[in-house]
């Protein structure tokens, strides 16, 4: 299959281009030309901006479904719900839970992927926990917290048929450094839900950890005499840092500072739970009742419980707060996530030879069309 997209604007890694024609052939991007390629089908998106598909590397659920439902249906419905929002790749994300529930979720993700997802495609499983500590537990259940265990992880990886690509741990747990040194050979080790010191975090990054979970949330804050987890995340150029840009989890000024500091090592995520794209009301996040009011989800104790953020809105927010070019902010939600997983040669930007995941959207961030590997799987009705 070969065609060209006619569009007003293309968001590239280092600039905006257009108007012009973007060639797509056999599911991959080709060149952008000023003139229409001869004898080729043209898809007219001339009223829209073409951007790389969004890549959400931390998402629990949306549209009333959650990965911890432990069903193939939940994974499939989450996949479908993401496509009209411009998300083409995602990491189905678990929560700290009982061994039985966690294993059921892992098996369900694997089976759903094997069956085939009609919407956004899974790029692997993210285990958020259970190797955390209680001081910054968030909506994770401390009853199941424990020290990291290589043998236990390998059991989960076998259940997942090798598709776990990311795990989050607290650096201060016993054996965390040894676990990280071993596991970082095969997965992205991310640090979060932790009260660790700056030095403890540095020890884990030295051992191979390469990311921090939802920067500023679920972690020891920054102090000028003890930089803590936040200080470690902001000052270590070796590590990526996730961030939730909904304006509730992180103040806009702080988010803008983190963006300026981390630059291409910033990964925009949603941490979205089942209440995303749903009306206010009562929901569950894992084993915890959650109340969503005015789009903000909280536990009964008042703690933030994941988010209801849509990733395109996170981009929209950070671009408005920072005043930075849209092409650069957008890639923090497409290319940076891919790069954090070592997938930047395949996904995350419009470049010749890369997988043709793309979004056609208007100036208000409304998604008109979404394509995966060159196949248009969603198109809105005008």
């Amino acid at each position: 299959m070969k065609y060209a997209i006619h569009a007003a604007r293309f968001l590239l890694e280092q600039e905006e281009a257009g108007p012009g024609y973007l060639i797509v052939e056999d599911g991959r991007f080709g060149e952008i030309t000023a003139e229409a390629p001869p004898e080729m089908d043209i898809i007219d998106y001339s009223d829209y901006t073409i951007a790389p598909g969004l890549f959400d590397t931390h998402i629990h659920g949306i549209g009333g479904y959650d990965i911890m439902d432990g069903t193939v249906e939940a994974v499939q419905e989450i996949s479908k719900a993401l496509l009209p929002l411009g998300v083409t790749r995602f990491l189905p994300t678990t929560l700290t839970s009982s061994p039985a529930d966690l294993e059921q979720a892992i098996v369900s993700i694997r089976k759903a992927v094997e069956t085939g997802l009609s919407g956004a495609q899974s790029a692997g499983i993210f285990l958020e926990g259970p190797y955390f500590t209680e001081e910054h537990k968030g909506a994770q259940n401390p009853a199941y917290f424990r020290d990291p265990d290589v043998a236990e992880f390998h059991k989960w990886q076998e259940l997942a048929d090798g598709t776990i690509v990311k795990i989050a741990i607290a650096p201060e747990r016993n054996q965390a450094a040894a676990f990280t040194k071993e596991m970082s050979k095969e997965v992205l080790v991310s640090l979060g839900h932790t009260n660790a010191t700056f030095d403890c975090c540095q020890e884990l990054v030295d051992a191979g950890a390469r990311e921090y979970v939802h920067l500023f949330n679920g972690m020891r804050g920054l102090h000028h005499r003890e930089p803590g987890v936040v200080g470690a995340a902001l000052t270590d150029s070796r590590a990526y840092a996730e961030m939730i840009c909904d304006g509730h989890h992180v103040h806009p000024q702080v988010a803008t500072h983190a963006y300026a500091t981390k630059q291409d090592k910033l990964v925009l995520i949603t941490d979205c739970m089942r209440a995303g794209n749903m009306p206010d009301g009562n929901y569950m996040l894992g084993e915890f009742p959650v109340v969503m009011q005015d789009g903000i989800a909280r536990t009964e104790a008042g703690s933030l419980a994941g988010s209801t953020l849509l990733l395109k809105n996170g981009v929209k927010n950070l671009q408005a707060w920072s005043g930075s070019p849209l092409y650069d902010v957008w890639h923090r939600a497409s290319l940076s996530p891919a790069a954090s997983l070592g997938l930047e040669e395949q996904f995350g930007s419009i470049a010749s030879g890369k997988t043709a995941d793309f979004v056609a959207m208007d100036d208000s961030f409304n998604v008109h069309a979404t394509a995966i590997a060159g196949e248009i799987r969603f198109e809105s009705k005008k």
Side-chain angles (χ1 to χ4, degrees):
M1 180 172 61
K2 187 174 183 178
Y3 59 88
I5 302 164
H6 181 215
R9 179 170 67 157
F10 300 93
L11 300 186
L12 308 182
E13 288 185 35
Q14 302 297 328
E15 62 181 352
E16 294 182 2
Y21 297 82
L22 170 62
I23 295 172
V24 176
E25 183 174 9
D26 297 330
R28 296 189 179 277
F29 292 123
E31 301 297 324
I32 295 177
T33 64
E35 302 296 329
E39 299 180 359
M40 189 179 297
D41 290 339
I42 304 294
I43 297 178
D44 184 15
Y45 288 153
S46 54
D47 294 334
Y48 302 102
T49 294
I50 304 299
L54 296 169
F55 195 151
D56 197 344
T57 55
H58 187 159
I59 177 168
H60 298 280
I62 194 169
Y65 291 90
D66 191 283
I67 293 300
M68 293 308 298
D69 291 345
T71 66
V72 169
E73 178 189 16
V75 182
Q76 292 173 333
E77 291 299 322
I78 292 167
S79 164
K80 288 183 198 175
L82 291 175
L83 206 58
L85 305 174
V87 176
T88 54
R89 307 279 161 176
F90 74 113
L91 298 187
T93 304
T94 64
L95 278 172
T96 298
S97 189
S98 69
D101 287 347
L102 184 57
E103 290 171 12
Q104 178 64 34
I106 290 170
V107 170
S108 296
I109 298 166
R110 190 199 75 212
K111 288 182 177 178
V113 173
E114 289 172 351
T115 302
L117 301 177
S118 62
Q121 298 297 292
S122 169
I125 299 171
F126 172 25
L127 298 182
E128 192 186 6
Y131 306 140
F132 293 144
T133 46
E134 192 164 350
E135 289 89 343
H136 295 282
K137 64 181 184 295
Q140 304 275 338
N141 192 337
Y144 304 114
F145 288 171
R146 52 193 182 276
D147 293 332
D149 186 311
V150 171
E152 183 175 51
F153 176 84
H154 281 147
K155 177 186 176 183
W156 295 333
Q157 189 67 288
E158 185 175 353
L159 285 173
D161 196 23
T163 60
I164 299 171
V165 297
K166 177 176 171 179
I167 185 168
I169 68 171
E172 66 268 41
R173 298 298 315 199
N174 292 329
Q175 300 302 312
F179 177 88
T180 298
K181 187 174 183 179
E182 181 65 25
M183 288 301 95
S184 61
K185 299 172 185 176
E186 57 182 283
V187 299
L188 173 63
V189 178
S190 195
L191 308 180
H193 291 283
T194 169
N195 197 40
T197 63
F198 176 87
D199 288 343
C200 184
C201 292
Q202 290 292 100
E203 180 185 5
L204 265 286
V205 176
D206 289 343
R210 286 296 179 267
E211 190 182 63
Y212 288 85
V213 178
H214 39 53
L215 182 62
F216 302 107
N217 302 119
M219 60 179 60
R220 180 194 286 239
L222 175 68
H223 189 277
H224 58 283
R225 285 191 293 272
E226 166 43 56
V229 186
V230 169
L234 289 174
T235 59
D236 196 329
S237 62
R238 294 174 294 175
Y240 291 85
E242 301 178 346
M243 191 164 64
I244 307 168
C245 286
D246 59 359
H248 308 299
H249 282 76
V250 181
H251 189 280
Q253 286 295 99
V254 176
T256 300
H257 176 75
Y259 167 49
T261 301
K262 295 302 292 183
Q263 300 182 37
D264 62 357
K265 289 293 180 75
L266 183 70
V267 176
L268 299 189
I269 56 144
T270 62
D271 197 15
C272 190
M273 47 87 75
R274 71 170 76 245
N277 243 9
M278 297 288 285
D280 283 353
N282 297 313
Y283 297 91
M284 295 293 293
L285 179 60
E287 299 177 6
F288 293 103
V290 171
V291 177
M292 182 171 73
Q293 184 173 353
D294 299 325
I296 305 171
R298 297 184 183 274
T299 64
E300 293 177 333
S303 299
L304 289 168
S307 87
T308 61
L309 179 67
L310 309 182
L311 193 51
K312 67 188 183 79
N313 290 343
V315 173
K316 184 178 181 179
N317 290 339
L318 185 56
Q319 197 272 331
W321 300 338
S322 67
S324 298
L326 178 57
Y327 71 82
D328 190 75
V329 181
W330 187 277
H331 283 87
R332 306 294 70 80
S334 63
L335 185 57
S336 291
S340 73
L341 297 165
L343 299 174
E344 67 273 21
E345 297 300 319
Q346 297 174 251
F347 308 114
S349 63
I350 297 172
S352 185
K354 283 195 177 186
T355 300
D357 291 354
F358 66 84
V359 177
M361 65 177 179
D362 65 21
D363 292 341
S364 298
F365 287 72
N366 297 309
V367 174
H368 173 70
T370 308
I372 294 176
E375 179 187 353
I376 297 170
R377 297 199 182 186
F378 166 78
E379 197 163 29
S380 67
K381 298 178 181 178
K382 289 187 177 180

